[in-house]
């Protein structure tokens, strides 16, 4: 099978050094394996996505020396695909509509108990208030959740292979862990027609991705993706979660960290090689000697 990987930014802010690392590493791995590198624009969150950020992504990547086949997959154009995947899960009886807002969830969760995790890779672990609601009752105000207990029972649990430097190894899905540390994740957000976990799984399958290369912050979410792949009958790619690029104080870079925006380095006269050196993909070139 041809090696295929992708870079999947959301056009909700500038690309920064962490994105450059992901994209360059993915492209280098594709080149080393005679494979393909694909670009996907993750713009289902229409309230936060902006055309000028999408444009900036294309410009920054091209400047970095990255190229990708056209047409680019854009999530906003794929809602029927996500709908079909959701319907598949709903037909299996694994989904329910939920009307709780953040405050409802906090109130229902009650006081934190020692040893019981409050947050998982999909945010606050949902206390299950709406779990008995029927899909027939779903309205525009609802999100759609996966009933995790039913899901782990319905799936033929698989394992996934991680090739990244930090977590490298084989990871069997652990039903107990999914129930207690992940919980009833959101499959469709209010007014969005999908949510990250559902879209990413459908897209990786449709783009025939064999190797997902992305930041280590998404490692914990991978068990959700592999579970959804098992439920939907989709293949599980290999995963490679790379270390995160941190700022000088050791904090991980955030989208809003404009100081590390590629556009800013470009404006200051950096070269693509400088960026490769900054993210540790090549040795920094020696400073010119002064005589
Ligand atoms: N769109 C996600 C982000 O910008 C990346 C998702 C992924 O690589 O799976 O963080």
């Amino acid at each position: 099978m041809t090696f295929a990987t992708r870079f999947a930014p959301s056009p909700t802010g500038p690309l920064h050094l962490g994105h450059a690392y992901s994209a360059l590493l993915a492209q280098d791995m594709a080149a080393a394996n005679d494979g393909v590198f694909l670009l996907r624009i993750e713009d289902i969150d229409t309230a936060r996505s902006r055309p000028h950020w999408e444009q900036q992504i294309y410009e920054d990547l091209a400047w970095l020396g990255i190229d990708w086949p056209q047409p680019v997959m854009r999530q906003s154009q794929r809602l029927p695909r996500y709908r079909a995947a959701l319907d598949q899960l709903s037909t299996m009886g694994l989904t329910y509509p939920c009307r709780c807002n953040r405050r409802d969830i906090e109130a229902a969760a009650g006081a934190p108990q020692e040893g019981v995790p409050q947050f998982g890779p999909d945010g606050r672990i949902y206390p299950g208030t709406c779990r008995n609601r029927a899909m027939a009752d779903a309205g525009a105000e609802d999100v759609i959740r996966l009933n995790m207990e039913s899901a782990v029972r319905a799936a033929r649990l698989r394992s996934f292979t991680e090739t990244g430097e930090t977590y490298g190894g084989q990871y069997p899905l652990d039903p107990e862990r999914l129930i207690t540390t992940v919980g009833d994740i959101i499959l469709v957000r209010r007014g969005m027609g999908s949510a990250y976990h559902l879209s990413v799984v459908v897209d990786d399958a449709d783009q025939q991705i064999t190797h997902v290369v992305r930041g280590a912050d998404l490692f914990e979410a991978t068990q959700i993706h592999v579970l959804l792949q098992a439920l939907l009958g989709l293949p599980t790619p290999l995963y490679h979660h790379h270390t995160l690029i941190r700022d000088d104080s050791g904090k991980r870079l955030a989208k809003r960290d404009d100081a590390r925006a590629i556009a800013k380095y470009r404006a200051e006269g950096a070269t693509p090689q400088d960026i490769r050196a900054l993210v540790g993909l090549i040795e920094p070139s020696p400073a010119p000697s002064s005589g």
Side-chain angles (χ1 to χ4, degrees), residues 161-195:
T161 304
E162 164 67 32
T163 66
E165 58 273 35
T166 309
Y167 298 109
Q170 193 71 20
Y171 291 86
L173 288 182
D174 176 344
E176 227 15 75
R177 185 152 180 249
L178 279 160
I179 293 168
T180 55
T181 70
V182 179
D184 293 0
I185 57 152
I186 294 183
L187 295 168
V188 176
R189 287 195 185 278
R190 215 165 273 129
M192 265 169 55
S194 189

Side-chain angles (χ1 to χ4, degrees), residues 6 8-10 19 40 42 196 200 214 218 255:
R6 61 9 173 229
S10 308
H19 295 107
R40 175 166 83 225
E42 300 213 325
Y196 166 63
V200 84
R214 60 187 180 192
L218 288 168
K255 266 268 164 60

Side-chain angles (χ1 to χ4, degrees), residues 143-215:
V143 304
I144 308 295
R145 289 185 182 273
L146 181 72
N147 181 325
M148 189 57 85
E149 278 198 49
S150 308
V152 296
R153 258 185 275 124
R156 288 191 55 175
L157 297 180
R158 340 173 150 168
S159 53
F160 68 92
T161 304
E162 164 67 32
T163 66
E165 58 273 35
T166 309
Y167 298 109
Q170 193 71 20
Y171 291 86
L173 288 182
D174 176 344
E176 227 15 75
R177 185 152 180 249
L178 279 160
I179 293 168
T180 55
T181 70
V182 179
D184 293 0
I185 57 152
I186 294 183
L187 295 168
V188 176
R189 287 195 185 278
R190 215 165 273 129
M192 265 169 55
S194 189
Y196 166 63
H197 303 298
L198 184 63
S199 303
V200 84
V201 157
V202 171
D203 293 347
D204 284 338
D206 285 356
Q207 290 193 300
Q208 298 183 34
I209 299 303
T210 62
H211 217 132
V212 170
V213 179
R214 60 187 180 192

Side-chain angles (χ1 to χ4, degrees), residues 41 66 85 109 117 122 126 158 169 227 251:
I41 300 293
I66 293 175
D122 195 49
Y126 183 61
R158 340 173 150 168
L227 174 69
K251 262 198 355 259

Side-chain angles (χ1 to χ4, degrees), residues 6 26 50-51 69 91 99-100 150 167 204 238 241 245 265:
R6 61 9 173 229
R50 295 283 179 276
T91 305
R99 204 163 291 173
C100 297
S150 308
Y167 298 109
D204 284 338
L238 298 174
H241 291 89
I245 304 290
Y265 287 100

